[in-house]
Amino acid sequence: MTWYGAARHGPRSRRGQHHGTSVGAVTGADGLGLVLAEAAVNATGAVGGYAGGVYLRSESEGLLRLAVLVGLPGELMRPWWRMHVNRPFPVAECYRTSEPIHLADSEEAMRRFPQLMAGLPFPFGSLYVPTENAGEKFGVLVALRPATPGHPVEQSDQRRMSQAGLRLGAALAQLERDGIPVSWSGEPLVVQTPEATARPLRIGTFDWDLSSGDLIADEEFCAILGISPDEFDGRVEALTARVVPEDVYQLWVVAREAAQDGRPVVRRLRLQRPDGPSSLLELAGRPVHPPGGGIGVRRLAGSLIDLGSGVIAGEAVADRLPDGLFSLDRSARITYVNRTAEALLGLSRTELIGRVLWDAVPWLDRPAYEDYYRAALLSDDPVRFQVERGRQDWVSVSLYPGHHGLTGTIAAADRPEYGTASISRPGAGLAFAAPGDHATALYRPVALAIALTEAVTARQVSAVVTEELLPAFGGRQLAIYVLHERHLYLAWETGFPAGFLEPFEGVGLDARLPGVETLTTGRPIFFESMELLASAYPGIPLDAAVGARAFLPLIASGRPVGSCILGFDQPRGFAPEERTVLTALAGLIAQALERARRYDTEAALARGLQDALLPHRLPAIENVETVGRYLPGTQGMDVGGDWYDVIETDRGLDLVIGDVQGHGVSAAAIMGQLRSAVHAFALAGLEPADVVSGTNRLLSDLDPAHFATCCYVRLDPATGDAQAVRAGHPQPLIRRPDGTTEVLDLAGGLILGVDPAEAYPVSELSIKPGEVLALFTDGLIERPGRDIDIGIEQLRSTLERSGPATVAEVADRLIRDARRSTDRPDDIALLLTARWTGPETERTLGRSAAG
């Protein structure tokens, strides 16, 4: 509940839409992709980072989307493509508070944002700045860089990052002024950072008309592209079609910098050949100024240099090594392999160079390894893990991070003990059978525990497990069963084939199934492959031929609650640390579910109490129509104190709306007492100011710890004359017959319950035939992280555009978006009152003034 003074107005926040991540997303009319990518690349480089990106608002209220990702593989970061502004992550907090966030290392990040470190438990630093302009929020600019333990982020880097955010905010505001929507709804645009140059092998020349896209090129240029001069159509698309998607951005930066700065430019590109591996190109261009010293640059002339695959002259030395050696760029594309690596990976250099590591080598594409890839790309620490190429055929893989990519080694290995893969710490070396990453083991349960404390309903608990537990352990399937009268019933599932779990619904505790036995024995059961599961439980239906399963007992304070099933797409081991962590997390989940079950029961009773306190039918008055709506909040199960009422008295029709501070049964009880008091004062013939003053004194006596807002309007149905008294409540809206809608400016006094001697002023107004008065509580206009003025303006605009419609239809439209929301923190009460002179069949609001 918020205490409102005079009427408040704010600018309408425009929202647009942006689709796709193709070249068109960068070079289309809006230029949004290019603006975002350029800002992310420049900001990352300015603070010594190796990766970064931009989160942008989306068409979904309260949801940010990753619009641009720099220096990291897109698929590897998929769990972080979406970010709700209410989540306890630095991106969300930066957006909500409009304050920059600087995290020097993982320890600082763990203290402030444990859920971030649960999913990314690696030592890295990060900087976040809001992108805004004139109070309008667009998103958040992010840069990732090496951790600096014990040393905070330097002021100079903080300043550079903030300046980058301001520049991006100004650029996005200009796009909006140009009529280009600034939001994102598709997948992120993935771009690469520039790298150092290498020795040239072949050189072609070109002349590029930046305005038309025409391209004049020589035979060597065509040869580099892998086409004959006769096939070349003279368009720049011949080049963009062959550049790998992550590097297309660099080509358009060349054009933009040349046009803006008029100076020579150089960029690295990777060319994907249709008949072989990608090649490294260097495009160097000089602007061609108009004849006679004219203004502007319309042409770019220069050379395209084929640098080959980036193999150094000393490759023969690497070929003599007994271990496999390879290198990756920051998109995880292979840039070099020696002969031993070719043999161990089972593919030739031609088949490997230019491809993403896990795309080229299928047995490296397993969810269990994603954490290791992320660790190497996000931190400075080496990573080592073991991989099963085939049955009982193992290799060890080590990844050594660098600013522009990774150097890797691969060697044959014996079958390991499960769980020996490790992320090393500085100076710790790379040794199997190390104690593991204890920080990782700590981050995950702590972060999930924090998230579970915020979850109140069983559905929220299950959603938290899906969002936090599955990504942390690389899982793909989840099923949660709850125990009821000695049978297990499915409460939540994701990732399983449609209908697969139906035969297990309602199974008794005597069934021989792993999901039942893990609960009856109280011990977790782990199967490292589906073959082991089928062997232990012959005849059990399987949803996949390969994979792994973990069955966890959900037991709270010694009482069985249910069981949790985690599924993995590929066979995998479960390290002792992982088994311990998963078992502990199962206990936390069980406690949360047990708490949710109690809340569900108590909430049903509390909702029934509140429903009994609200009016079930409003009085029917000639020439006046009243419609009320009430929506309970969805965050938490405590009921709120919002109420509305319509009271027919000898002096007129009294319209009341109020909001008691807080939630819970006590707030609902106070609400019931206040509603009864207002009813009694009104029927006793008191004037509106006296009704509100008497209610204020009553609340002060009832409970000094509770406060309430209220708006009280006495209407003469015959004349439309009205008297209004407002006690800290939001200003009402009034819609004129032509559709024009405005926020009223009624005088107001203190909220109820603060000062028992407060005197409340009375405002005079008139409601003419065809006009609608809207009274509402703050839950209808408030959203976390959004200025309240925007909410008022959106409500006013919706009411203005609501005709032609009945009053009931208008009420439904006003709360439609709130009704759809699953993340509604507060209750909502709405009361609409309309005056008419014609018959009931003609009681329809007219079109808006704009319509």
Side-chain angles (χ1 to χ4, degrees), residues 226-435:
I227 59 177
S228 67
D230 294 335
E231 295 174 325
F232 180 55
D233 61 0
R235 299 287 299 171
V236 72
E237 283 79 6
L239 176 59
T240 62
R242 287 164 175 79
V243 172
V244 298
E246 293 90 340
D247 291 349
V248 171
Y249 155 75
Q250 305 289 354
L251 182 62
W252 303 112
V253 169
V254 168
R256 181 169 180 146
E257 290 183 356
Q260 290 183 345
D261 302 332
R263 295 195 300 267
V265 289
V266 178
R267 279 294 184 278
R268 277 288 184 89
L269 307 171
R270 289 200 177 276
L271 189 71
Q272 183 62 59
R273 299 185 183 280
D275 56 348
S278 65
S279 295
L280 192 62
L281 306 181
E282 185 171 278
L283 187 143
R286 63 183 187 282
V288 179
H289 295 276
I295 299 175
V297 174
R298 297 185 179 179
R299 291 173 50 225
L300 185 70
S303 57
L304 185 67
I305 307 170
D306 182 0
L307 303 178
S309 62
V311 178
I312 59 176
E315 63 182 43
V317 176
D319 284 339
R320 301 187 191 109
L321 294 175
D323 291 344
L325 182 69
F326 62 92
S327 62
L328 310 175
D329 64 15
R330 294 208 61 84
S331 292
R333 293 183 182 275
I334 302 170
T335 58
Y336 171 72
V337 289
N338 69 355
R339 290 179 181 174
T340 308
E342 283 184 288
L344 290 171
L345 294 174
L347 296 169
S348 67
R349 289 177 182 171
T350 301
E351 296 172 300
L352 291 170
I353 296 295
R355 298 183 64 189
V356 174
L357 176 64
W358 47 83
D359 287 345
V361 186
W363 43 267
L364 287 174
D365 184 19
R366 294 174 186 169
Y369 307 143
E370 289 183 2
D371 255 0
Y372 301 115
Y373 300 141
R374 282 191 284 264
L377 287 163
L378 289 172
S379 73
D380 285 335
D381 293 343
V383 174
R384 189 178 185 184
F385 57 100
Q386 289 191 243
V387 180
E388 188 176 20
R389 292 188 303 181
R391 193 168 186 82
Q392 303 301 318
D393 181 13
W394 292 83
V395 295
S396 65
V397 178
S398 301
L399 300 175
Y400 298 85
H403 194 83
H404 292 292
L406 307 175
T407 298
T409 63
I410 182 170
D414 296 329
R415 185 184 189 278
E417 293 295 326
Y418 282 126
T420 56
S422 67
I423 301 170
S424 73
R425 290 300 181 199
L430 286 172
F432 285 118

Side-chain angles (χ1 to χ4, degrees), residues 394-562:
W394 292 83
V395 295
S396 65
V397 178
S398 301
L399 300 175
Y400 298 85
H403 194 83
H404 292 292
L406 307 175
T407 298
T409 63
I410 182 170
D414 296 329
R415 185 184 189 278
E417 293 295 326
Y418 282 126
T420 56
S422 67
I423 301 170
S424 73
R425 290 300 181 199
L430 286 172
F432 285 118
D437 191 343
H438 297 293
T440 301
L442 175 63
Y443 292 146
R444 288 169 175 163
V446 169
L448 184 57
I450 293 173
L452 287 174
T453 60
E454 301 173 357
V456 180
T457 68
R459 186 174 187 84
Q460 289 172 341
V461 171
S462 302
V464 166
V465 176
T466 302
E467 295 171 3
E468 303 292 343
L469 187 63
L470 285 184
F473 289 88
R476 287 294 183 269
Q477 295 90 30
L478 169 71
I480 294 179
Y481 284 85
V482 295
L483 181 64
H484 180 66
E485 295 182 350
R486 297 186 58 81
H487 290 76
L488 288 173
Y489 297 92
L490 184 65
W492 180 276
E493 66 90 13
T494 183
F496 286 95
F500 172 74
L501 296 176
E502 289 181 2
F504 305 103
E505 179 71 3
V507 296
L509 294 185
D510 56 349
R512 190 175 184 276
L513 294 169
V516 173
E517 294 187 358
T518 189
L519 180 61
T520 56
T521 64
R523 295 192 302 269
I525 304 174
F526 299 92
F527 294 101
E528 297 161 351
S529 69
M530 301 303 283
E531 291 87 351
L532 292 174
L533 173 59
S535 176
Y537 292 88
I540 187 174
L542 300 177
D543 62 306
V546 296
R549 291 290 182 271
F551 297 86
L552 307 174
L554 302 181
I555 300 175
S557 302
R559 294 189 304 276
V561 175

